């Protein structure tokens, strides 16, 4: 979809599926975290009657150099996603600014600040869980690549700072060092919804399987990675990594990318994607600005974990992945 076309269309130009009924949100189901030797994990413990299916929307935003325009377009697409029945919505990495080390200091904000205030307002207006992609955050003289998540009442639920900075050098193709301007985060971030627990990563974090494993141990059934892979790593690894994280941990993985801008100094790959716990690509965008919709089926997730019970079969007497911090 080009910039002049109507947003809110489904994947590959198809209309978004009809929105499900937006009845009152059910109570949350609690999750049990990682496994000690001889213990099964993770499992869902029923608490009330949780919804088995909910709609996820990924906004593949065409990002410009004008912050106010980016904020206005992002909020407009969140409203469109809500009208299509989305209950959880994600924006892409660096949705309010161009992606690049020279831009991070110029566009950086405090949290709360201008961009996160807009996100809070639109989350409350639309009564959705809004994963705010990421923005350059300034705090105590340091810059971070930060994702802020807001609940349906506009409350800031959690803030996640990118753990693994994008420092790569592929001769003749791409060299990039986020660490020239950014500081890495030092904590995990999950949040609970009435449907499931969600774990957060940003872009390059997806390459680190241990992060996804820790989130699975902590009861996450959906991982969301706002990300901006490029024209070298995107075609090679974008989908592969998502499918790997999904199959290894038997959960849903979703990625929200900016739309591709061939004139930008950093050209994003696009192709925002949702992958099922079976490793299937269930929704995928092209390169243009669009909204990707997927109905997340937690019953299917439970069936897969029952049919192939890898969490019960791990050899905790021989190996383990464990968090060093809460």
């Amino acid at each position: 979809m080009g910039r002049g076309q109507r947003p809110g269309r489904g994947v590959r130009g198809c209309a978004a599926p009809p929105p499900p009924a937006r009845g009152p949100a059910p109570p949350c189901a609690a999750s049990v975290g990682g496994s000690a030797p001889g213990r099964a994990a993770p499992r869902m413990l029923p608490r009330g009657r949780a919804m088995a299916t909910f709609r996820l929307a990924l906004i593949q935003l065409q990002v410009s150099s004008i912050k106010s325009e980016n904020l206005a377009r992002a909020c407009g697409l969140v409203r469109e996603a809500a009208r299509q029945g989305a209950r959880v919505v994600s924006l892409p990495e660096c949705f309010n600014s161009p992606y690049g080390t020279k831009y991070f200091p110029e566009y950086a904000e405090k949290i709360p600040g201008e961009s996160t205030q807009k996100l809070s307002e639109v989350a409350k207006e639309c009564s959705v869980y809004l994963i705010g992609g990421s923005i350059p955050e300034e705090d105590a003289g340091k810059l971070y690549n930060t994702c802020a998540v807001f609940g349906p009442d506009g409350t800031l639920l959690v803030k996640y700072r990118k753990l693994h900075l994008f420092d790569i050098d592929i001769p003749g193709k791409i060299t990039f060092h986020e660490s020239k301007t950014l500081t890495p985060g030092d904590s995990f971030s999950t949040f609970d919804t009435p449907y499931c627990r969600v774990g957060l990563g940003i872009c390059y974090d997806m390459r680190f399987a241990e992060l996804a494993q820790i989130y699975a141990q902590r009861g996450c059934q959906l991982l969301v990675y706002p990300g901006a892979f490029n024209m070298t790593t995107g075609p090679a690894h974008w989908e592969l990594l998502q499918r790997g994280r999904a199959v290894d941990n038997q959960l849903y993985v979703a990625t929200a990318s900016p739309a591709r801008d061939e004139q930008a100094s950093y050209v994003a790959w696009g192709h925002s994607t949702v992958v099922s716990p079976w490793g299937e690509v269930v929704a995928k965008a092209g390169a243009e600005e669009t909204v990707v919709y997927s109905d997340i089926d937690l019953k299917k997730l439970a069936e897969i974990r029952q049919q192939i019970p890898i969490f019960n079969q791990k050899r905790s007497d021989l190996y383990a992945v464990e968090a060093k911090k809460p």
Side-chain angles (χ1 to χ4, degrees):
M1 183 192 308
R3 289 176 67 93
Q5 291 178 269
R6 185 174 73 85
R9 305 288 287 178
V11 181
R12 299 187 182 94
C14 299
R22 291 180 63 90
C28 183
S31 300
V32 171
S35 58
R39 290 182 57 192
R43 286 183 181 175
M44 295 301 295
L45 299 178
R47 203 174 76 201
R49 186 182 175 188
M51 292 179 73
T53 304
F54 67 94
R55 179 157 296 172
L56 171 69
L58 307 175
I59 294 174
Q60 186 160 291
L61 183 71
Q62 188 77 61
V63 178
S64 76
S65 60
I66 304 171
K67 182 185 286 189
S68 59
E69 177 183 310
N70 296 330
L71 293 175
R73 290 186 68 81
C75 291
L77 290 169
V78 171
R79 294 184 183 99
E80 175 65 21
R83 286 193 291 269
Q84 295 295 338
R87 305 299 292 268
V88 180
V89 181
S90 181
L91 290 164
E93 182 180 23
C94 281
F95 83 91
N96 73 342
S97 73
Y99 182 79
T101 53
K102 67 180 181 181
Y103 299 111
F104 298 148
E106 178 184 352
Y107 287 80
E109 301 178 14
K110 298 281 189 181
I111 296 179
E114 177 188 3
S115 296
T116 52
Q117 179 61 34
K118 293 288 187 184
L119 297 185
S120 172
E121 291 170 359
V122 77
K124 184 175 181 179
E125 174 190 335
C126 297
S127 191
V128 296
Y129 288 88
L130 180 55
I131 299 167
S134 79
I135 66 170
E137 178 201 8
E138 190 278 322
D139 184 31
K142 295 182 178 180
L143 300 181
Y144 302 90
N145 190 342
T146 302
C147 175
V149 179
F150 297 89
D153 61 355
T155 300
L156 176 64
L157 299 179
V158 72
K159 186 171 73 171
Y160 173 79
R161 291 170 170 169
K162 188 175 187 178
L163 295 182
H164 305 93
L165 297 184
F166 181 53
D167 286 4
I168 68 166
D169 184 6
I170 304 175
K173 294 186 177 181
I174 182 172
T175 298
F176 198 98
H177 293 94
E178 278 189 322
S179 62
K180 286 183 177 179
T181 53
L182 298 181
T183 298
D186 61 2
S187 61
F188 308 101
S189 293
T190 67
F191 66 96
D192 289 326
T193 73
Y195 325 108
C196 68
R197 181 167 294 164
V198 182
L200 299 172
I202 297 175
C203 199
Y204 199 57
D205 287 330
M206 189 163 56
R207 291 188 178 272
F208 298 87
E210 297 87 349
L211 178 61
Q213 291 171 37
I214 288 167
Y215 281 148
Q217 291 170 7
R218 295 185 176 193
C220 293
Q221 295 179 293
L222 168 66
L223 303 184
V224 178
Y225 296 91
F229 273 38
N230 53 71
M231 300 300 289
T232 298
T233 60
H237 301 147
W238 177 249
E239 182 180 307
L240 174 67
L241 287 167
Q242 294 172 67
R243 296 182 71 187
R245 299 295 84 82
V247 171
D248 285 350
N249 300 289
Q250 296 181 325
L251 40 65
Y252 282 91
V253 172
T255 52
S257 170
R260 189 178 304 170
D261 179 357
E262 300 283 359
Q263 307 307 312
S265 58
Y266 180 96
V267 181
W269 173 239
H271 298 287
S272 300
T273 304
V274 181
V275 178
S276 78
W278 194 252
E280 302 166 303
V281 175
V282 294
K284 187 176 183 179
E288 69 284 351
E289 181 175 276
T290 190
V291 179
V292 177
Y293 298 93
S294 182
D295 291 331
I296 303 301
D297 187 347
L298 299 175
K299 181 179 178 183
K300 178 178 180 179
L301 181 150
E303 290 172 351
I304 290 170
R305 289 185 174 184
Q306 183 177 33
Q307 293 162 3
I308 306 179
I310 59 172
F311 294 107
N312 294 336
Q313 298 167 334
K314 289 184 182 291
R315 289 294 304 273
S316 300
D317 57 322
L318 297 177
Y319 54 78
V321 173
E322 60 180 4
K324 298 292 182 67
K325 295 185 67 174

